[in-house]
Amino acid sequence: MTRTMPHGGLGWVWIGPATLLFLGVMIVPLIMTFLLTFYSWSSTAGIVVGFSWANWAEVLGDPYFFTVLWRTLHYSTLATLIVLVVGVPEAIIIARMSKRWRGFCLLAIVGPLLVSVVARTLGWTLLFGGANGLVNQLLMQLGLIRYPLPFMFTSTGTIIALAHVLMPMMVLSVSASIQKINPQIENAARSLGAPYHVVMRRIILPQILPGILSGTLIVFAMAASSFATPAIIGGRRLKVATTLIYDEFTNTLNWPLGAVIAVLLLVGLLAIFVGCNALMARRDQGGAR
Amino acid sequence: MSHLVLQALCKKYHQFVAVAETSLQIKEAEFISLLGPSGCGKTTTLQMIAGFTEPTSGRVLLNGADLTPLDPNRRGLGMVFQSYALFPHMTVADNVSFGLEMRKVSAPERTKRVADALELVGLSDFRHRYPVQMSGGQQQRVALARALVIRPPVLLLDEPLSNLDAKLREDMQEELLRIQRSLGTTTVMVTHDQSEAMAMSDRIVVMDHGRVEQVGAPEDVYAAPASDFVARFLGRMNMLDATISLSSGAALLNIAGYTLAAPDTMTEGPVRVSIRPEMLFLADEGVPGTIGRRAFHGAFWVCEVITAAGPVSFIHPNTGRPAPHTGAAVRLGIRPAGMTLVPAAAVII
């Protein structure tokens, strides 16, 4: 009896704290947020506990909310595309550098992660913030432009800033999968007669695809749920899901409505994640046939 | 005319000479091994033949044509890598087929040649497997099939068997040799394993510190090593200090208290004697000593005998009489023609 008890009993002791933390800060708030979507709200009575589909009907029926959610998708998709186009070659180039330069470049890429997103985003404001932005000032003094480049409070600016802030995630993810490749494999392909671009397309890319896919997922999810960058660059006019939720919770105090949008954002991201995982699993299964 | 020629091939990294000017003529269908300890330049030499390393000077010629300025993918040489370097995301058949696709071979012929190559290495039933699902020996065969299917004029093997366990390695040596003989592909193998090199090669090239120490048939190099390094690297070699004395016109050799006749050409004075362990045997007459460590190898024992001239190792075959135990006093006979004498003065110079 004493032989089996400590094992069975101790197991729960070990995972208990983690389970409690997970339940307390993750599961319970999620359930509460979900329940909140069915409560009602009025400017006079505030939040009233109950059950109604009114908030869902309001969000799904009003084109304004649709515009905001569409904008969120639009920003995250484009930012992810930029990150893909710039980040993947960047990781490949870095992998080919000499050891010293590779270390330096990786540090330069990872370093910004140590700085708050707010600070990194405000950097763009310093460069492009109206007529006082450094770059705008310089370009205007050189006579290349007559008016400051529109960057702040534009969609283009927000997307570029999002791509910049999230770039390290893609580079790190792809770098990790490049490092797993046996360097002799490339030589093997070369000795079999493959020119450089064929080695890249048929040998290297298929092997780093899992890294690219997970990097894409991470970047997309972080872009869609980012707050500071769209809040600072996009401003109050170009609202995305997160800034809208923030406004509903803190300004309008219409928590139930904010909760509906939060749940929609979460469900959308989950669907994309699950879909991509299923795709990858199918590919892996095909690989192990 | 030689088939593959290395002309004063040399590779330097700043001040460091990885491969000093190396020249070598390799005949068609010959199996040649580059043998030496790690860092001796054998792999760099192979890399220069394959085109992965650019030589500082010198040329690589194949049938008289200069390969040196060509990229590796334009040389058309087959290569098997130490880690096999199979493409992990492709099936066995796709791995083998890759080189044919690069050569724009038509699909039906590709299928046929891939099937032939896999049959040659005995892996016909594995065509749809992925490399991770195969053992090291099987992956090695796939790598060999992939290199041979393009019908290369020269096959380059970079430590091809070093990742296999001992028994499998012996089987693969025979298999590799059988395939090489049946196809008649000129083969250059890099290895640090002297017994592997001697068992497989027509000629071996012993290298050390970026220099070729000796080139020749395994039997010749083993019997007449050109330097102390080669003597020690190929098998074991006992080196003993002895003296030659002249008595009534005949030269006598004295090794640690044992006297025997020496060639008349020798002059009086100290000499260096080199004797292979298999040239020594237990006898009633011979070099006296006591047995030190002994190691059983199944077919034979390797015993160490402490003599007045230092430790000597000899091989005692397991043919009925067990080897004497540690501490036993023995005498070692020397088989005729089993030793090489060099005047000690020559050694010093």
Side-chain angles (χ1 to χ4, degrees):
Chain A
M1 187 186 89
T2 43
R3 267 184 201 167
T4 52
M5 269 303 283
H7 185 75
L10 269 177
W12 282 108
V13 173
W14 286 116
I15 64 166
T19 311
L20 281 180
L21 191 73
F22 183 70
L23 280 173
V25 304
M26 178 85 190
I27 302 297
V28 172
L30 271 181
I31 293 171
M32 286 173 68
T33 308
F34 186 66
L35 290 178
L36 194 59
T37 63
F38 299 107
Y39 296 174
S40 53
W41 180 86
S42 73
S43 50
T44 47
I47 299 168
V48 180
V49 177
F51 183 90
S52 86
W53 290 98
N55 301 309
W56 286 93
E58 188 181 347
V59 169
L60 296 176
D62 190 337
Y64 170 73
F65 296 109
F66 178 78
T67 311
V68 171
L69 286 171
W70 179 250
R71 185 181 292 130
T72 311
L73 182 69
H74 165 212
Y75 284 5
S76 351
T77 309
L78 283 182
T80 308
L81 272 178
I82 295 175
V83 170
L84 260 177
V85 170
V86 178
V88 175
E90 194 173 323
I92 293 173
I93 291 167
I94 287 171
R96 268 147 215 284
M97 288 177 170
S98 70
K99 214 170 177 175
R100 225 177 66 215
W101 279 105
R102 189 170 46 205
F104 175 77
C105 286
L106 275 177
L107 191 73
I109 286 164
V110 179
L113 288 180
L114 302 175
V115 181
S116 145
V117 178
V118 178
R120 276 184 283 159
T121 304
L122 283 171
W124 285 101
T125 316
L126 289 178
L127 295 178
F128 287 101
N132 292 322
L134 281 177
V135 173
N136 277 341
Q137 262 182 351
L138 187 77
L139 289 177
M140 274 154 69
Q141 272 170 13
L142 286 175
L144 291 173
I145 51 172
R146 288 173 64 192
Y147 305 101
L149 287 177
F151 186 90
M152 297 302 295
F153 314 120
T154 66
S155 294
T156 315
T158 312
I159 291 165
I160 291 175
L162 271 176
H164 157 246
V165 164
L166 297 173
M167 192 68 72
M169 299 300 169
M170 178 64 84
V171 176
L172 286 181
S173 174
V174 175
S175 291
S177 62
I178 290 181
Q179 268 160 25
K180 279 192 271 179
I181 299 182
N182 171 358
Q184 284 190 339
I185 285 178
E186 190 182 321
N187 280 350
R190 298 271 281 156
S191 78
L192 290 167
Y196 196 74
H197 64 274
V198 176
V199 176
M200 209 23 108
R201 184 167 52 82
R202 299 227 11 217
I203 307 297
I204 306 290
L205 271 183
Q207 289 187 77
I208 61 173
L209 204 58
I212 296 177
L213 274 178
S214 61
T216 307
L217 273 183
I218 292 170
V219 168
F220 184 85
M222 289 181 79
S225 58
S226 67
F227 175 76
T229 308
I232 295 169
I233 308 275
R236 305 197 57 79
R237 195 172 57 84
L238 295 173
K239 279 215 182 78
V240 292
T242 48
T243 48
L244 180 63
I245 294 166
Y246 179 82
D247 275 355
E248 291 300 337
F249 271 77
T250 59
N251 293 345
T252 338
L253 297 180
N254 189 347
W255 287 24
L257 194 77
V260 172
I261 299 159
V263 169
L264 279 177
L265 181 65
L266 179 71
V267 169
L269 283 177
L270 264 179
I272 289 169
F273 254 87
V274 171
C276 283
N277 271 333
L279 253 172
M280 272 201 270
R282 228 175 57 188
R283 184 177 164 273
D284 284 351
Q285 238 175 21
R289 184 179 48 213
Chain B
M1 190 180 71
S2 286
H3 185 50
L4 181 69
V5 178
L6 311 188
Q7 249 177 20
L9 209 55
C10 171
K11 180 67 187 178
K12 288 179 190 154
Y13 294 101
H14 304 291
Q15 296 300 310
F16 176 70
V17 180
V19 177
E21 296 195 351
T22 296
S23 294
L24 198 62
Q25 316 234 329
I26 300 166
K27 291 188 282 288
E28 186 139 22
E30 196 174 17
F31 194 121
I32 262 210
S33 289
L34 306 180
L35 174 68
S38 55
C40 73
K42 56 189 193 293
T43 301
T44 310
T45 307
L46 196 78
Q47 298 264 329
M48 286 193 283
I49 300 174
F52 299 129
T53 299
E54 200 182 329
T56 310
S57 62
R59 298 197 299 169
V60 178
L61 304 177
L62 179 66
N63 290 326
D66 192 357
L67 291 185
T68 328
L70 298 182
D71 282 339
N73 51 314
R74 300 194 166 275
R75 299 195 179 195
L77 310 181
M79 182 147 178
V80 174
F81 295 81
Q82 184 174 9
S83 61
Y84 317 136
L86 298 177
F87 308 134
H89 56 294
M90 295 185 189
T91 61
V92 166
D94 289 344
N95 262 280
V96 178
S97 176
F98 187 80
L100 297 176
E101 282 176 57
M102 293 303 115
R103 280 164 179 69
K104 311 249 186 302
V105 174
S106 69
E109 200 195 331
R110 233 162 43 212
T111 315
K112 191 187 166 305
R113 278 170 71 175
V114 168
D116 288 350
L118 286 177
E119 179 156 1
L120 187 70
V121 297
L123 285 179
S124 295
D125 297 337
F126 293 79
R127 68 181 71 225
H128 297 305
R129 294 256 189 126
Y130 282 82
V132 284
Q133 301 166 308
M134 306 181 84
S135 70
Q138 290 167 335
Q139 291 188 31
Q140 157 85 78
R141 287 158 193 262
V142 176
L144 188 62
R146 185 178 67 176
L148 287 173
V149 77
I150 59 173
R151 294 175 189 156
V154 175
L155 178 65
L156 306 174
L157 306 172
D158 182 11
E159 302 262 8
L161 307 177
S162 64
N163 285 344
L164 303 178
D165 58 62
K167 179 79 186 97
L168 194 57
R169 186 162 22 183
E170 268 179 41
D171 294 346
M172 272 309 288
Q173 282 179 10
E174 279 175 33
E175 178 97 6
L176 191 57
L177 213 52
R178 174 185 68 78
I179 292 168
Q180 192 265 344
R181 292 284 182 250
S182 71
L183 297 177
T185 310
T186 312
T187 303
V188 182
M189 177 172 80
V190 157
T191 180
H192 62 270
D193 182 341
Q194 40 102 8
S195 66
E196 182 174 293
M198 289 197 282
M200 300 179 73
S201 321
D202 296 316
R203 283 194 296 158
I204 53 180
V205 178
V206 186
M207 297 181 72
D208 187 35
H209 289 109
R211 287 179 189 285
V212 172
E213 293 274 327
Q214 193 171 3
V215 183
E219 294 85 352
D220 298 343
V221 179
Y222 186 81
S227 66
D228 277 10
F229 172 79
V230 177
R232 288 216 174 85
F233 198 76
L234 281 190
R236 286 160 186 261
M237 182 67 94
N238 295 306
M239 305 235 183
L240 297 170
D241 291 323
T243 50
I244 297 272
S245 56
L246 292 176
S247 145
S248 59
L252 291 177
L253 173 66
N254 185 304
I255 309 173
Y258 173 55
T259 309
L260 66 164
D264 289 340
T265 48
M266 299 298 293
T267 51
E268 223 166 1
V271 287
R272 195 82 182 284
V273 185
S274 310
I275 314 171
R276 292 277 184 199
E278 64 271 22
M279 293 298 181
L280 294 168
F281 59 100
L282 291 176
D284 299 332
E285 283 282 297
V287 183
T290 52
I291 299 280
R293 280 176 298 157
R294 37 172 248 173
F296 183 51
H297 287 256
F300 55 87
W301 281 268
V302 176
C303 303
E304 185 190 48
V305 175
I306 315 293
T307 71
V312 174
S313 65
F314 84 100
I315 285 177
H316 182 78
N318 187 8
T319 49
R321 208 157 51 115
H325 287 282
T326 303
V330 293
R331 281 177 174 271
L332 290 176
I334 301 169
R335 289 183 210 286
M339 58 183 175
T340 317
L341 300 182
V342 182
V347 176
I348 291 163
I349 292 167

